[in-house]
Structure formats: C-alpha cells, structure tokens
Amino acid sequence: MENVVPFRGPCIVFANHTHTLDPFFISEMYPYTIRWVAGSYLFKMKGVSFLLRHLVHAIPKVQGRSDLETIRNISRALKNGDIVGLFPEGTRSWDGEMMDITAATAKLVRIFHVPVVFCHIEGGFLNKPRWSDKERRGPVSVRVVKVLTEEEIKTSSLQEITEITKKYLSFSTDDWQESAHVPYPSDSAAEGSERLFYLCPKCHRFSTMSSSGRTVTCSSCGLSATFDDYGRIKMNDDYIPYTRLSEWHEWEKKELGEIYDRAEEGSTIFTDSGILFQIPGKKKLETVSENFSVTVTKEGFVFIFATPIFCDGKSSERLFFPFSSIESVVINAKQTIEFYADGKQYRFRTALDRSALKYQVIYLYVSRGGK
C-alpha cells in the first residue's frame, strides 16, 4: 500500500471481479475515494441508484456494448483529479478464473495516460460464487500487485502495456488456492452450481444437473460431484478427472461449440421454459409475458408465447432474433438475460434452476466466428 499513497489522483484502479461486494472491499482499504464504473442497470434500482449517484458518484456503463459516453465520463473524472475504479472483465467470474482481458484495456491505459493500480481480490469467489445464493465462511483479501506509473506508460509501446496489463490483472482462484489452502466451509457448497454446469460431462445432456447440500447430480445418468471446503470437486466417476470447477466449465464451453458446429440449419441446440419476457416500452422495459419457451437454434433465439404479445405494433405468438441481429448478451441479477437486437433492448428470465450462462456462451461463440 505504501506504493499507492503518492497517487492521489488522477488515477485508475483495475481489479479482477469475483464478488458483488468487490468495489466495497477495495474502497474500504484504499486510502482515497474511488469512483467506480458500474452497470447501468444498477442505476435503475431506486435504493441502489441513490447510493451510486450521491454517495459513490459512480459512472454508469451499459454492459456488453461499446459506450462512448462512459469513456467521456471517465475522461472528465480523471481531468478533475478523481480516481476511477474499473473491472476490465466487465462482469463477475463464473468459475473463479479470469475472463478475457482484451487489448481495449491497454488502449484505455494509453488514452488516459494516468497511473494505474492493479489489485487482486483473493478469496472473493470462494466466499460467494456468482452462481450461489449463499455465502461461505472464509476471508476475502485485497492485494496491490503493481502500480504502473505515468512515466512507464509514456515509455512503453501498446504491446508492452498489453502484456503488463495481462500479467498483473490476471488472477486464478484455483492457482491462488493451491498455495493459500484456505477453507471456506459450507453445508450447501454445491447449491446453485447447476447455473454454472449446464452440460453433464458423462451423458452430454443439457440442464440435467441439480444440486443439494454439497453435491450436484445429473438426473439423466446419475453422475455426481461433491464440493469440498477448498473450492474443489470430487467426481463419482473415475473416467471424468475434473477436480476444478474451471475444468468442467472449460469442457462444457468447448462441447457447446462443437454441438453448435454439428447442428443442421433450423435444428434446436437447447430449450428452456421462460418466466419473464420484457420489451422496450415508452420509458422503460415492459413485461409482456411470464409464460413462454425460449429455444436456441443454429440461427438464433426463438421465443414462443403461451398467449400472443403485442410487440412492434402487432400481435405476435413468436419472436425470432437471428444471431446476426444480436449485439450483446449479458447476465444481470436473478439470472436475468439482457440482450440488444437491432439497437433495441430486451430482457428475459428462465427458471432459476436453469443456466442463463449457456445463452451468453453460445452467443459469444457464434459472434466470434466459432472461437
């Protein structure tokens, strides 16, 4: 922390994102006030909005989209001598591993030309995984790992800044726990993990996993895994060697891509029952259905409603959003999936025991050309 003290502002704070309270963890230990960049949906919640606007002076960001206004607001804050906090991943980790750190992060460092403080949140994911509704007993620590000075930025190429950013921002919960070996005990350690594990590694079926206590089990083939106090899993099948959540998740992401590639035109990849569908209204999103099915096909998202809805000036029983029209897919509170299509915002929610994550994973796979 003694390396941070000289930089009162302007300055940027970067950190990995694992826990809903990450901004508070860092702000609590940081010697100066930080203005955090926060998802714009949080500003629509009355109580939270008041705190963000008047106490934290947060900067809103539309998740999943290029937001020039956010860049302008960050620039204004830095010109005023403020400290701005950012989570370059844009959203919390699902398996404790760092998500993609793009070259755009390094470009921001170059554009703003102010010192950057790199922090690691250690134990945040194990204290409360994104897919869980319950906290575990265990510590969360904040570690400052690097202060990139303005002079270093001036004398470094964009490629060098990119390498520095990836080196000091990257954080793996699994790797950290290998050496830390800190217990996070909970009698319900597995509960909610079906929101992460949308594919069974034995029978390869979608949405068959269900959790109770420390165990997650496939209702189709009986495969199960037990969670321990250290964030590890033990499979009941010797042919499946996973001990880390991230190993299972990496497999299912790859498998989902292969299923998509093998699928024929018009065929169903997976389907769920929906409990909330919202469309653009005059001032805000309006709920138009709480009973529908959502299917992901080779071509895009298909919604079929139990009773017709009124959308775009006409009555519809079916809405189709081709992947080519979808600009972003993000997951907000309560497993709510928000996407933009042809410049319009939509929001839907499936049953809470179904994984919202698979919708984002398949969208990213398709939008990145099968990568």
Side-chain angles (χ1 to χ4, degrees), residues 17 20 23-24 35-46 48-53 56-65 67 70 73-74 85-92 130 330-333 338 340 345 347:
H17 200 6
T20 53
F24 300 97
R35 294 187 62 188
W36 288 99
V37 176
S40 58
Y41 74 96
L42 295 172
F43 288 79
K44 299 173 185 177
M45 302 177 183
K46 290 183 179 179
V48 175
S49 176
F50 178 83
L51 294 173
L52 290 174
R53 294 180 189 277
V56 182
H57 300 290
I59 299 171
K61 167 72 172 75
V62 178
Q63 289 179 293
R65 306 189 81 198
D67 192 344
T70 302
N73 288 334
I74 293 173
L86 287 161
F87 297 105
E89 296 169 276
T91 187
R92 285 176 290 144
R130 180 171 182 175
V330 298
I331 304 168
N332 292 329
E338 188 172 278
Y340 282 82
Q345 183 184 23
R347 189 180 292 154

Side-chain angles (χ1 to χ4, degrees), residues 83-318:
I83 298 172
V84 176
L86 287 161
F87 297 105
E89 296 169 276
T91 187
R92 285 176 290 144
S93 171
W94 281 90
D95 60 5
E97 302 304 289
M98 200 80 180
M99 289 181 276
D100 291 342
I101 304 169
T102 65
T105 302
K107 289 179 181 178
L108 286 179
V109 173
R110 172 58 67 85
I111 290 170
F112 293 135
H113 246 290
V114 298
V116 180
V117 177
F118 293 90
C119 295
H120 284 170
I121 305 288
E122 300 174 344
F125 176 79
L126 295 171
N127 179 268
K128 190 176 186 298
R130 180 171 182 175
W131 41 262
S132 177
D133 295 326
K134 300 177 181 179
E135 289 191 7
R136 288 101 169 94
R137 297 185 299 276
V140 179
S141 302
V142 177
R143 184 184 302 276
V144 175
V145 293
K146 170 71 176 176
V147 177
L148 184 63
T149 66
E150 192 172 357
E151 184 60 32
E152 288 178 289
I153 295 170
K154 287 180 181 179
T155 57
S156 300
S157 66
L158 182 60
Q159 180 60 36
E160 288 171 331
I161 294 174
T162 300
E163 291 173 358
I164 290 171
T165 301
K166 289 184 177 180
K167 177 180 179 180
Y168 290 105
L169 187 56
S170 295
F171 179 80
S172 165
T173 293
D174 284 329
D175 291 346
W176 170 79
Q177 183 66 307
E178 285 286 350
S179 57
H181 204 62
V182 178
Y184 291 80
S186 171
D187 292 333
S188 54
E191 291 182 6
S193 58
E194 62 268 31
R195 298 170 184 168
L196 170 65
F197 300 138
Y198 48 82
L199 270 173
C200 173
K202 185 174 182 180
C203 66
H204 294 204
R205 295 189 63 180
F206 282 98
S207 304
T208 58
M209 307 305 299
S210 61
S211 59
S212 178
R214 290 177 172 267
T215 305
V216 60
T217 305
C218 176
S219 60
S220 176
C221 68
L223 176 78
S224 67
T226 302
F227 287 55
D228 68 15
D229 290 342
Y230 297 89
R232 295 286 188 266
I233 51 176
K234 178 175 175 54
M235 312 295 295
N236 72 350
D237 192 316
D238 292 337
Y239 292 100
I240 300 173
Y242 307 142
T243 59
R244 296 181 171 193
L245 278 63
S246 57
E247 293 171 336
W248 187 338
H249 183 43
E250 282 302 313
W251 167 82
E252 65 181 353
K253 285 195 295 183
K254 182 180 178 181
E255 178 67 13
L256 180 52
E258 293 177 356
I259 291 172
Y260 176 84
D261 291 338
R262 293 194 300 266
E264 298 179 355
E265 291 187 10
S267 62
T268 295
I269 310 297
F270 56 81
T271 188
D272 284 322
S273 297
I275 59 174
L276 177 76
F277 188 81
Q278 297 179 320
I279 63 173
K282 292 182 179 180
K283 294 184 178 180
K284 61 180 182 179
L285 292 177
E286 297 179 352
T287 300
V288 293
S289 178
E290 295 178 345
N291 186 7
F292 60 94
S293 67
V294 53
T295 299
V296 173
T297 68
K298 182 80 170 182
E299 291 71 34
F301 294 175
V302 181
F303 297 86
I304 299 177
F305 303 95
T307 57
I309 67 168
F310 198 73
C311 182
D312 292 332
K314 59 183 179 181
S315 179
S316 302
E317 293 182 353
R318 180 181 184 274

